[in-house]
Structure formats: C-alpha cells, structure tokens
C-alpha cells in the first residue's frame, strides 16, 4: 500500500530507529512499510496516524485495483 510514512518521519526529524521505538516495532518493519512491501495492521496504522497527529488517509493511500 502506498504511504507517506517516510515524508512524515523526516518532517518530524525521526530516524527509522526512533520511529520503530515509538511504535514498538522493529526497524525492519519501518523499512518494509516505507518501501511499500508491508501493509500494517489496523492497530499499527492507527498508532502511526496518531503519532503524526493526522488521519490514516493522510498517511496511507488506498488504491483500488
């Protein structure tokens, strides 16, 4: 799934390690999310959007196939 995680992460001056720690996931999870190789659980998607103080729709871009 396309997303803006890296954009928000850089805007908030977080490293991948920082973001992983704040979300209680591995750095590898952050890498996979940013490379759009992994779709997060709904719980993780909410945690990410709350951390960046925005809606899920601003972080994740849903595209119908």
């Amino acid at each position: 799934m396309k997303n803006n995680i890296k954009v928000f992460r850089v805007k908030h001056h977080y490293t991948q390690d920082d973001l992983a720690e704040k979300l209680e996931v591995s750095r590898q999870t952050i890498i996979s999310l940013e490379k759009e190789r992994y779709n997060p659980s709904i719980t993780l998607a909410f945690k990410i959007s709350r951390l960046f103080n925005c809606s899920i729709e601003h972080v994740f871009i849903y595209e119908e196939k």
Side-chain angles (χ1 to χ4, degrees), residues 33-63:
L33 285 166
E34 288 184 356
K35 291 186 175 187
E36 300 171 1
R37 288 192 215 146
Y38 171 71
N39 291 329
S41 67
I42 191 70
T43 303
L44 181 54
F46 271 105
K47 286 173 91 173
I48 292 167
S49 66
R50 286 190 177 146
L51 178 66
F52 294 137
N53 196 31
C54 64
S55 69
I56 287 176
E57 291 86 359
H58 282 103
V59 180
F60 299 95
I61 297 100
Y62 176 75
E63 295 179 331

Side-chain angles (χ1 to χ4, degrees), residues 3-64:
N3 66 69
N4 293 312
I5 293 173
K6 186 173 183 177
V7 172
F8 281 106
R9 178 177 61 77
V10 170
K11 180 180 175 184
H12 286 82
H13 307 287
Y14 295 149
T15 65
Q16 289 175 331
D17 284 325
D18 294 336
L19 186 56
E21 186 176 320
K22 290 180 182 298
L23 296 172
E24 300 177 327
V25 298
S26 69
R27 184 174 151 267
Q28 188 60 41
T29 297
I30 302 303
I31 292 167
S32 294
L33 285 166
E34 288 184 356
K35 291 186 175 187
E36 300 171 1
R37 288 192 215 146
Y38 171 71
N39 291 329
S41 67
I42 191 70
T43 303
L44 181 54
F46 271 105
K47 286 173 91 173
I48 292 167
S49 66
R50 286 190 177 146
L51 178 66
F52 294 137
N53 196 31
C54 64
S55 69
I56 287 176
E57 291 86 359
H58 282 103
V59 180
F60 299 95
I61 297 100
Y62 176 75
E63 295 179 331
E64 289 191 42

